Amino acid sequence: MKRLVHLAPYALPHSGSFVPFMRTALETAQQRGWAVEAVLPPGARGRPWMQGFHEAGIPVEFADGTRLQLTQWLRDRFGDGQEPTILHTHFTVYDLPAALTGRGRPHVHVYWHLHTVLSSRPRAVVANALKFLIFGRYVERILTPSADVAAEVRRRFGRSAKVSVFPNPVDQSAFPPLSREQRAAFREELGVPGGVRVLLHFGRDWQIKDGDVFLDALGVLVNEGRSVIGLINQGGEEAASAAARRGLEQQVKLTGLLPQPQKLYGAADVMVASSRGEGMPYTVAEALCSGVPVVASDLAGHRYLGDELEACSIVPRDAGRFASAAEAFLDMDADETARLCATAREWIVERLDVAAAAARLVDQYEQTIRDSSTQPQVGSS
């Protein structure tokens, strides 16, 4: 029997679109006769989204520790069998342990799945180059969310034939279009004043997300006399200080990490994704699915949506350009905004549905195992 293991250091309180995609991929393989399981950190225990794994009959193991400890754990669990095994890692924690487990084991095939942009810090560039050059030999596929991330992996010695683009899918069922009543309720729950327009920004990494240029764009609209506030998720003290320096304390509302990010989309009139670098953020597609137009910086992961969808406006990373594009959406007739977002949702459902993406991924796994019987084994030399 073929075996599939997804390994992800994910323990956030909300599932977003990532957890449904991982679970659906495992379910799809299970339906095709594979033995499946997920490996998560202990912090995931008790999260509400864990119930989905239990209901699907997907076993879950919890593992943490140093990379050496994780390598030994994976080797003990998956290294000695003979059944074809796919180890699919997400983010980076389990990458090296999985690659070392696959080394010299023809039955183990490793997928590395990047979900965001690579750091440009010199130390990170060197570390990535060593990782892709040395440990990448024991990896079957390196999946990236966008063309620019794929190109950067190749520049850092990722073997071109192993690198491919796999856009992040969206769980559209979790992000439905919201009614006027739902939006009003979410605004009240988040403490958003009545009669103002709301620009949403996700500021988890303030520098990468370029929260400063978001605040500068907000300041442009405030100075024009617009009744507008910035709703910033996970900006923390850095966001508060940046707002204070600009005299925007009264025009900014900060939220921590919410177990239901749908409430953020429900409270927003426009989302502003001003990032300096991204893979392909789930938040942009989730906002569009929820009926919120987006203004996004000119990055490949954003252009994947913006080049096709009028509800997603791509602009250079400049405060004035962000402000003008956001203003265009704020001034748009409500029916026209709804029409553009409905079209965007249809496009996303057609191309980024989690079930369809999961099926494509399992097809890749099966091709990998078929190829392994006729080609030299990864890591065998």
Side-chain angles (χ1 to χ4, degrees):
M1 177 181 289
K2 299 183 291 289
R3 180 165 53 180
L4 172 63
V5 185
H6 273 234
L7 307 100
Y10 190 93
L12 294 176
H14 61 82
S15 66
S17 289
F18 169 70
V19 172
F21 168 61
M22 180 173 64
R23 188 184 65 240
T24 304
L26 291 165
E27 283 185 89
T28 301
Q30 188 178 53
Q31 291 163 3
R32 297 189 191 184
W34 293 56
V36 304
E37 66 183 274
V39 176
L40 299 168
R45 293 181 188 271
R47 293 301 191 194
W49 47 262
M50 283 294 302
Q51 185 62 30
F53 289 94
H54 302 321
E55 291 174 354
I58 297 172
V60 179
E61 293 281 353
F62 299 95
D64 64 359
T66 66
R67 283 187 169 86
L68 182 61
Q69 291 169 329
L70 289 171
T71 299
Q72 188 59 56
W73 186 84
L74 285 175
R75 284 175 169 174
D76 290 344
R77 288 294 312 278
F78 308 112
D80 295 331
Q82 295 303 313
E83 62 270 33
T85 299
I86 299 284
L87 300 181
H88 185 140
T89 65
H90 299 274
F91 310 106
T92 61
V93 169
Y94 299 103
D95 283 2
L96 296 187
L100 290 170
T101 299
R103 179 184 180 185
R105 293 175 172 85
H107 69 286
V108 176
H109 309 281
V110 177
Y111 278 54
W112 282 349
H113 198 151
L114 309 180
H115 289 272
T116 188
V117 67
L118 299 176
S119 172
S120 60
R121 295 185 178 94
R123 178 178 291 185
V125 172
V126 172
N128 289 159
L130 291 172
K131 173 182 172 179
F132 294 131
L133 183 64
I134 297 172
F135 298 98
R137 291 181 294 169
Y138 314 124
V139 174
E140 186 72 32
R141 302 294 301 169
I142 301 174
L143 304 181
T144 67
S146 63
D148 54 348
V149 176
E152 188 60 36
V153 171
R154 294 185 182 104
R155 280 193 290 270
R156 300 185 193 190
F157 302 111
R159 298 188 182 187
S160 184
K162 296 183 177 184
V163 180
S164 60
V165 175
F166 194 95
N168 288 334
V170 177
D171 181 16
Q172 74 272 4
S173 66
F175 299 97
L178 300 170
S179 68
R180 183 176 302 177
E181 291 73 22
Q182 287 173 310
R183 292 185 181 280
F186 288 150
R187 285 187 173 217
E188 182 177 358
E189 185 175 341
L190 292 172
V192 174
V196 300
R197 310 302 296 275
V198 178
L199 303 186
L200 173 64
H201 179 72
F202 287 84
R204 177 180 55 82
D205 185 321
W206 191 250
Q207 299 304 315
I208 291 294
K209 301 295 186 181
D210 207 341
D212 286 336
V213 79
F214 167 74
L215 288 177
D216 289 340
L218 178 68
V220 170
L221 296 179
V222 170
N223 289 336
E224 290 178 356
R226 290 273 182 175
S227 181
V228 62
I229 68 167
L231 181 63
I232 302 176
N233 178 248
Q234 297 185 73
E237 183 57 38
E238 200 165 5
S241 297
R245 289 195 300 271
R246 292 166 171 80
L248 293 173
E249 301 98 319
Q250 300 305 312
Q251 284 78 35
V252 167
K253 181 167 184 58
L254 303 176
T255 76
L257 182 61
L258 300 181
Q260 294 180 299
Q262 297 91 331
K263 295 178 180 180
L264 296 167
Y265 302 127
D269 292 294
V270 179
M271 175 179 158
V272 177
S274 52
S275 301
R276 298 172 182 270
E278 285 285 3
M280 181 186 169
Y282 288 103
T283 54
V284 172
E286 289 170 355
L288 293 167
C289 276
S290 302
V292 180
V294 175
V295 178
S297 51
D298 189 6
L299 301 171
H302 292 159
R303 288 197 302 272
Y304 179 81
L305 297 166
D307 287 350
E308 301 290 338
L309 305 174
E310 293 182 74
C312 183
S313 180
I314 304 298
V315 299
R317 197 166 45 80
D318 170 82
R321 298 292 293 273
F322 279 120
S324 295
E327 202 164 31
F329 282 128
L330 292 175
D331 290 340
M332 188 175 289
D333 178 79
D335 289 339
E336 178 64 5
T337 303
R339 184 189 68 79
L340 294 182
C341 288
T343 300
R345 180 180 174 83
E346 290 174 3
W347 190 94
I348 291 167
V349 169
E350 181 179 346
R351 290 166 178 80
L352 297 175
D353 175 68
V354 292
R360 291 195 301 272
L361 186 59
V362 177
D363 289 343
Q364 287 191 34
Y365 298 151
E366 293 178 335
Q367 186 63 52
T368 291
I369 291 174
R370 284 193 296 270
D371 290 345
S372 70
S373 63
T374 59
Q375 296 179 5
Q377 301 298 326
V378 173
S380 60
S381 62

